[in-house]
Amino acid sequence: MRVRIVAALGLTAAVLLALPACSGNSTGAKPATPSSARSGKPARAGHGAPLSSAALKTRLLDESDLGSGYMRQPERPTQHDDVSVLGCPALNDMGGDAAMGGSLNFPHKAKATFTYTASSNSELSEELYSDTAGKLSTGTGRIFDAMTGCPQYQVLVGSTKVDVTTQKMIAPRLGDERWSQLLTFSSDGRDTVVKQTAIRNGGVLVIVSGSPTLVDQHLDEALAKAAATR
């Protein structure tokens, strides 16, 4: 049975990822060179006026970018489950949007979620946001600091209790600013691991979340497409 949980409390617009019946550590994807081992040259586009949501949508990854084995999921409706956070005052202080996994509070956004069909428990989610560089920097840093500042806490989603552990990761040197974390969700003796990396390139923010291997494999191309000048 698949238990739906809050994937990244206030950060990912793919509000709920599935906690599979088995561990989410193995993806079955082909080995990839970690993003941190690549050239690290930052993209320089996206430094002008904020982009519209319609423009951001055209810059999302699609199946042709990802290659074979990926299936795009229908957009999930906003969830309003009864959610509370225990053991992390910083997240509680951020209010209901953070606790319910709502998308970041930026005016222009787009998202896409994919299942990697070669592995029954692997998902990849991409979110794009656009605003002034200062607002993107402040808003994203605030959420990541709150989450990684609480190494362990619990989330109650309706009647389901989920134990969450967080670990701050070193993000690859891409864009102007970067954040990364590893989250482990545990419920009913089952675990899933979600990696989440955010890159700000001027007035565009790229967030890639999901199976750690898939995030490392597709982060560079997500940033390149999001920052392309066209």
Side-chain angles (χ1 to χ4, degrees):
M1 180 178 181
R2 297 168 74 86
V3 181
R4 298 177 72 77
I5 63 173
V6 176
L9 297 180
L11 195 50
T12 167
V15 182
L16 301 174
L17 289 178
L19 179 61
C22 56
S23 171
N25 289 327
S26 175
T27 68
K30 62 181 180 181
T33 302
S35 296
S36 57
R38 298 171 192 166
S39 66
K41 294 181 180 179
R44 301 308 300 169
H47 287 254
L51 300 174
S52 67
S53 296
L56 290 174
K57 184 176 289 189
T58 67
R59 298 175 181 229
L60 288 167
L61 294 174
D62 56 31
E63 292 91 337
S64 65
D65 300 311
L66 296 171
S68 62
Y70 289 88
M71 179 182 298
R72 185 163 181 166
Q73 298 300 300
E75 187 169 344
R76 293 164 177 160
T78 301
Q79 302 291 321
H80 296 287
D81 294 331
D82 182 17
V83 176
S84 57
V85 180
L86 306 177
C88 187
L91 280 176
N92 285 334
D93 291 345
M94 301 183 93
D97 285 345
M100 289 189 294
S103 50
L104 286 170
N105 189 26
F106 298 124
H108 310 296
K109 55 193 173 184
K111 71 163 186 175
T113 301
F114 302 88
T115 297
Y116 183 63
T117 57
S119 176
S120 61
N121 58 5
S122 296
E123 284 197 14
L124 182 72
S125 175
E126 181 190 12
E127 301 154 78
L128 299 180
Y129 298 92
S130 190
D131 205 331
T132 65
K135 289 181 179 179
L136 290 177
S137 176
T138 300
T140 308
R142 182 170 175 249
I143 292 287
F144 266 97
D145 287 347
M147 295 182 69
T148 57
C150 296
Q152 294 182 322
Y153 54 92
Q154 284 188 330
V155 179
L156 297 178
V157 185
S159 61
T160 300
K161 180 190 296 184
V162 181
D163 294 312
V164 184
T165 61
T166 65
Q167 179 184 355
K168 188 174 183 178
M169 305 293 287
I170 297 176
R173 294 190 61 82
L174 300 170
D176 298 313
E177 285 186 284
R178 57 211 66 89
W179 303 262
S180 188
Q181 61 181 338
L182 198 68
L183 301 103
T184 301
F185 301 95
S186 304
S187 181
D188 295 331
R190 299 188 292 269
D191 295 343
T192 192
V193 177
V194 173
K195 186 172 186 178
Q196 187 168 63
T197 300
I199 306 293
R200 182 185 68 79
N201 190 75
V204 174
L205 178 70
V206 181
I207 302 177
V208 182
S209 310
S211 167
T213 299
L214 299 186
V215 171
D216 288 344
Q217 185 170 332
H218 296 293
L219 180 63
D220 280 4
E221 58 194 317
L223 177 62
K225 188 170 183 179
T229 54
R230 53 191 170 99

